[in-house]
Amino acid sequence: MLFNKEHPWRFTIGGWGGFVLATILLLIFGSDIYPILGFLTGAILVTIGNVIYVLYTKWKSKEGEK
């Protein structure tokens, strides 16, 4: 299900996956906390954008049924 190109949450899954991977790599290689916070901010922004997209497409599909 995660590899489905029509999955509505694919960008959020990818954003949080990237955040986890980047956090692990930054912790292994001993970086500051600021890049980790930057990746967290990016993942949160992608999630907010995807929530808006999913709600808009559901609203649009319900509007089209009427």
Side-chain angles (χ1 to χ4, degrees):
M1 184 162 99
L2 292 178
F3 298 110
N4 187 359
K5 291 188 186 262
E6 298 300 321
H7 194 273
W9 296 103
R10 66 185 178 274
F11 296 119
T12 299
I13 294 168
W16 284 102
F19 166 69
V20 169
L21 181 66
T23 301
I24 291 170
L25 290 174
L26 287 171
L27 289 174
I28 288 172
F29 293 116
S31 185
D32 289 335
I33 188 88
Y34 298 113
I36 295 172
L37 292 175
F39 284 117
L40 176 63
T41 303
I44 290 171
L45 290 176
V46 168
T47 302
I48 291 170
N50 201 17
V51 166
I52 292 169
Y53 168 75
V54 168
L55 291 176
Y56 176 75
T57 54
K58 286 188 181 200
W59 174 73
K60 205 64 166 157
S61 68
K62 285 184 180 180
E63 186 178 273
E65 291 175 359
K66 293 182 181 178

